Amino acid sequence: MNFRQRFLRFGLGLAIGCLIVYMMFPNHDWLGWLPGKQIMRQIQECKMHVTPHAQCRLECQGLSTTNFNDARYKGEVDFSSSDTKSTPKRYLLLHESTEYIILLTDSTVTLAEVKLPVKKECNCH
């Protein structure tokens, strides 16, 4: 048996094995180890806090904490605008054209700022 035959048999066995594993675990999150999914899972599982400034911005813009909860589960993290080296880590969470700046520690998610695409005057300090 030459190298080509061995390689083809190996490839066929590997493909069949992968197919069997995929069929045995159809609901497994195969890409759950990626950084975006890990951060989103941490954002969803940690206890939520809202700073007084963020609460004022939410109320001024006609939003509530339920909008932020929706963003926690349906939003996306913009890593290019986030600061992952600071302590606590600062992430930009995007959902329905609203930007949420959150501070993430090991056990808490703190909503620090809310930005809508339409600028509205708020007297929040």
Side-chain angles (χ1 to χ4, degrees):
M1 191 172 358
N2 62 21
F3 177 75
R4 184 172 180 252
Q5 290 175 331
R6 287 181 185 167
F7 187 72
L8 287 174
R9 288 182 182 181
F10 170 77
L12 180 64
L14 182 65
I16 291 171
C18 288
L19 183 65
I20 290 172
V21 168
Y22 184 76
M23 289 172 56
M24 289 175 62
F25 304 105
N27 296 327
H28 183 71
D29 185 14
W30 296 102
L31 299 176
W33 55 273
L34 293 173
K37 294 236 182 180
Q38 291 289 322
I39 295 301
M40 284 306 294
R41 184 176 300 129
Q42 188 175 0
I43 290 170
Q44 293 166 1
E45 292 174 354
C46 289
K47 186 176 178 182
M48 180 183 79
H49 294 287
V50 180
T51 63
H53 175 73
Q55 185 67 39
C56 176
R57 297 280 296 180
L58 283 171
E59 291 170 0
C60 174
Q61 296 174 8
L63 300 173
S64 67
T65 55
T66 57
N67 296 93
F68 177 57
N69 275 332
D70 288 344
R72 285 174 67 184
Y73 290 96
K74 299 175 185 172
E76 291 183 7
V77 174
D78 182 7
F79 284 100
S80 63
S81 300
S82 300
D83 185 13
T84 59
K85 304 284 189 227
S86 66
T87 303
K89 294 179 180 174
R90 188 178 187 94
Y91 291 102
L92 178 66
L93 186 64
L94 303 171
H95 180 63
E96 295 179 353
S97 71
T98 305
E99 297 178 355
Y100 300 94
I101 297 174
I102 59 171
L103 306 175
L104 185 64
T105 63
D106 289 339
S107 60
T108 62
V109 173
T110 304
L111 177 61
E113 180 67 48
V114 180
K115 295 180 184 176
L116 285 173
V118 178
K119 296 204 177 213
K120 188 174 183 181
E121 281 296 318
C122 296
N123 292 331
C124 300
H125 300 288

